[in-house]
Amino acid sequence: MAAEMVAMQTSSALVRTDAPLRVLDGFGGSMRAACRTLSPRTSEELSQMLARANDAGLSIALRGSGRSYGDAALGSDGLVIDARGLNQILSWDPVSGVAEVEAGVQLADLWKRALPDGYWPAVVPGTMFPTMGGMAAMNVHGKNQFKAGVFGEHVLWFDLITANGSTVRASRERNPELFHAALGGAGLLGAFARIALKLKPVESGRMKVGSIPVSSFAEQFALFDELREGADYLVSWIDCFASGATLGRGQIHVAHHLHANDDPRAVESLRLEEQTLPAHILGFPKSQLWRVMQLFTNDFAWRSVCLAKYLAARLAGRKHTYLQSHAAFAFLLDYVPDWRRAYDPRGFLQHQLFVPDPAARTVFPEVLRLLQKHGTPSYLGVLKRHKADPFLLSHGFDGWSLAMDFPIGRDGGARLRAAAREVTQLALGAGGKFYLAKDQLLEPAQIERAYGAKLDEFFALKAKVDPRGTLQSDQARRLFPERLRALTSARAK
Ligand SMILES: Cc1cc2nc3c(=O)[nH]c(=O)nc-3n(C[C@H](O)[C@H](O)[C@H](O)COP(=O)(O)OP(=O)(O)OC[C@H]3O[C@@H](n4cnc5c(N)ncnc54)[C@H](O)[C@@H]3O)c2cc1C
């Protein structure tokens, strides 16, 4: 670190860059770094910290809840600003559904505030713990991306604190270039301080969910095509161990919002107590379930778990529908606290491939075949449909994504990385893109090929708002070494 022991005086606290090193990780648990962390409580403190670091030639990585899987929120070279202290919902209008929040507000706090008034966030990821700043920086998508687009499409404006500490307001009308680049810009253009977003009205706290067993990839794609028009949410689990004629088998979940007159308990179901996730699953207390899962995290046992899940879906049949609360449907992955620990001690790797339609229909089956050939099957496969959006580093387009979770093997992931590299090349060959929140293994040439001239535009803007290259995460240094070097050489001058 260039200027260790530099002391930074903020309005309310003395923040030293020799704060003790703390090991932070990405959600996958396989990427960690010893970091020095600053924890501002107000946007003024955040602004002063950025300005001081910028003046001192230190790099800054921004961090929310650390729910991105890899190194996007790690900063081993410099300082990490943990924005969770900026946790105020500044205003909530139950008539218009507009919320103005600080960047460290957790999604859980926002939906709990809005649902009793009949609103739900228009886009949510599979967990309720990310912060608004983290969601904006990654421009997250949900199980309704094909319909609602990405998070940024529901943002009205934001205040971004740039590297020199100044605050810039951006919206579709005001600083539109910055608006469309910072949303999805992985925290490399500035720190979100405040965000105004519009939530969507809901008449019931429950949705009608259908689960449909699917016997092959061909059936997956055909059913998505059939259901997409009328569905509010659509997502499929894929058994990545199945092969041959059953390659791509799994279970589709399709959900529809309920109108008040379709649900006799519409009003009661908006109450928070109706949204709690179950305390026990299959009779086990949830808090310990990851230990049971750990016993199954080997190829043989997990193959059996997937087979059992698929057979259970078949048994329930195609007409299986039920009512489910928004929280239970949206945040399935939060059912089991600490589930990621089932992959301890080496952690796991998530890789999400985005491939345009129709190429995905041949590429995704090929991806699963290739992974099986390498002996590195994914333990979880999730298929989603996507649409294009107007953001500069968007991962969305008219196409599909396949997200996969892989345990890191005893070889430290060497075999997996080789297989994932081939899979990545396959996606790239079909015009594929990737999602920085899920990235743990891309190489500079791969990201450059995926985003091409968009990166020139993005870094030209970064040169304006962060000319010394102060904002950079470990991920940015891994993916954009040359582009960052060009900027940071300006620091030395
Ligand atoms: C179980 C699980 C399920 C998930 N499901 C989905 C899903 O369905 N769809 C989806 O899109 N994503 C999904 N994700 C990914 C997750 O939504 C994103 O990684 C999100 O960015 C996490 O937010 P965070 O607050 O934890 O941010 P962090 O992981 O801490 O940081 C993410 C990025 O945001 C930047 N950042 C953080 N705060 C700020 C700020 N104030 N200003 C500027 N930049 C900032 C960081 O520098 C980093 O680049 C899932 C993650 C998990 C763990």
Side-chain angles (χ1 to χ4, degrees):
M1 188 185 300
E4 279 187 44
M5 311 298 285
V6 172
M8 295 192 293
Q9 180 72 51
T10 72
S11 56
S12 59
L14 182 69
V15 183
R16 297 190 66 90
T17 55
D18 60 346
L21 285 165
R22 214 157 50 93
V23 177
L24 300 177
D25 64 2
F27 188 77
S30 62
M31 298 184 105
R32 344 187 137 168
C35 303
R36 295 181 205 274
T37 310
L38 306 181
S39 303
R41 285 155 300 161
T42 63
S43 44
E44 291 71 32
E45 283 187 4
L46 172 58
S47 155
Q48 289 182 33
M49 284 169 182
L50 278 166
R52 302 282 169 129
N54 191 51
D55 289 347
L58 296 166
S59 62
I60 291 275
L62 299 163
R63 186 171 174 92
S65 298
R67 250 60 185 190
S68 43
Y69 281 75
D71 46 358
L74 299 180
S76 53
D77 173 54
L79 296 163
V80 171
I81 292 187
D82 177 340
R84 283 176 301 176
L86 279 72
N87 56 8
Q88 301 301 309
I89 297 179
L90 300 167
S91 70
W92 163 241
D93 180 348
V95 176
S96 64
V98 172
E100 200 183 312
V101 296
E102 287 191 313
V105 166
Q106 272 195 346
L107 173 59
D109 295 327
L110 180 63
W111 75 255
K112 285 178 185 173
R113 178 74 175 268
L115 190 62
D117 292 327
Y119 284 90
W120 183 256
V123 171
V124 299
T127 168
M128 65 174 96
F129 301 114
T131 62
M132 293 293 125
M135 287 170 63
M138 287 305 184
N139 216 356
V140 303
H141 60 268
K143 301 175 180 78
N144 56 353
Q145 207 278 357
F146 61 94
K147 188 165 187 172
V150 284
F151 180 80
E153 284 170 87
H154 308 277
V155 170
L156 303 175
W157 55 261
F158 57 74
D159 283 341
L160 193 76
I161 305 182
T162 56
N164 67 6
S166 52
T167 301
V168 186
R169 180 157 295 189
S171 66
R172 283 170 190 80
E173 298 75 36
R174 194 166 158 185
N175 298 309
E177 193 191 12
L178 188 62
F179 182 82
H180 289 100
L183 288 161
L188 300 179
L189 297 183
F192 293 102
R194 292 195 183 90
I195 301 173
L197 70 159
K198 192 161 169 56
L199 283 71
K200 68 173 173 186
V202 290
E203 296 175 27
S204 164
R206 303 190 291 181
M207 288 190 295
K208 185 175 169 198
V209 182
S211 72
I212 307 170
V214 195
S215 61
S216 66
F217 254 126
E219 212 181 319
Q220 294 271 11
F221 290 119
L223 261 175
F224 264 76
D225 290 342
E226 181 189 321
L227 297 169
R228 184 156 65 113
E229 192 61 28
D232 287 311
Y233 298 88
L234 197 50
V235 64
S236 185
W237 163 73
I238 292 185
D239 171 2
C240 298
F241 286 89
S243 57
T246 61
L247 188 81
R249 76 177 174 199
Q251 185 179 28
I252 289 184
H253 283 102
V254 52
H256 298 92
H257 285 293
L258 292 173
H259 292 296
N261 45 14
D262 297 330
D263 182 1
R265 300 193 64 253
V267 175
E268 299 94 298
S269 67
L270 293 171
R271 291 191 196 131
L272 295 186
E273 51 279 20
E274 302 272 332
Q275 301 288 324
T276 47
L277 304 181
H280 290 79
I281 293 178
L282 299 173
F284 289 103
K286 282 198 325 181
S287 59
Q288 297 305 313
L289 205 62
W290 67 267
R291 292 181 196 279
V292 180
M293 286 171 66
Q294 198 169 40
L295 302 174
F296 287 87
T297 40
N298 60 76
D299 286 3
F300 177 74
W302 206 257
R303 176 190 292 274
S304 316
V305 169
C306 290
L307 176 62
K309 181 170 161 57
Y310 176 68
L311 292 177
R314 280 236 87 91
L315 209 63
R318 190 174 168 159
K319 299 250 177 280
H320 182 48
T321 58
Y322 48 95
L323 297 182
Q324 195 171 30
S325 72
H326 290 284
F329 178 78
F331 307 126
L332 184 69
L333 290 165
D334 293 338
Y335 267 56
V336 183
D338 284 334
W339 61 266
R340 69 179 191 149
R341 296 191 60 192
Y343 292 104
D344 277 355
R346 290 178 290 271
F348 71 106
L349 198 141
Q350 173 150 138
H351 200 37
Q352 187 169 11
L353 306 173
F354 289 74
V355 176
D357 190 56
R361 297 171 196 246
T362 45
V363 169
F364 287 169
E366 196 48 40
V367 163
L368 291 200
R369 267 186 227 111
L370 220 152
L371 291 166
Q372 290 174 0
K373 190 183 94 190
H374 280 276
T376 53
S378 162
Y379 279 28
L380 176 69
V382 176
L383 182 68
K384 289 183 192 147
R385 189 68 169 90
H386 296 267
K387 69 173 179 125
D389 62 63
F391 298 94
L392 184 58
L393 294 190
S394 170
H395 54 272
F397 46 35
D398 178 14
W400 303 77
S401 75
L402 177 62
M404 297 170 289
D405 284 2
F406 304 92
I408 307 274
R410 284 180 207 284
D411 64 350
R415 198 157 51 123
L416 173 59
R417 276 167 216 286
R421 192 164 202 286
E422 279 189 46
V423 159
T424 303
Q425 292 304 121
L426 249 180
L428 276 171
K433 288 201 218 168
F434 307 92
Y435 178 30
L436 295 183
K438 307 282 181 84
D439 161 53
Q440 286 156 271
L441 44 73
L442 289 175
E443 297 161 14
Q446 294 169 333
I447 195 90
E448 294 285 341
R449 187 171 163 198
Y451 285 88
K454 302 268 181 199
L455 287 173
D456 296 338
E457 258 183 78
F458 184 81
F459 277 90
L461 185 57
K462 184 167 171 69
K464 285 189 205 156
V465 293
D466 179 16
R468 309 180 91 190
T470 297
L471 286 158
Q472 46 176 285
S473 60
D474 284 1
Q475 180 182 56
R477 280 187 288 277
R478 172 168 58 82
L479 295 180
F480 311 115
E482 293 308 323
R483 291 181 185 272
L484 285 177
R485 242 190 300 280
L487 283 175
T488 47
S489 60
R491 279 188 202 168
K493 291 177 189 155

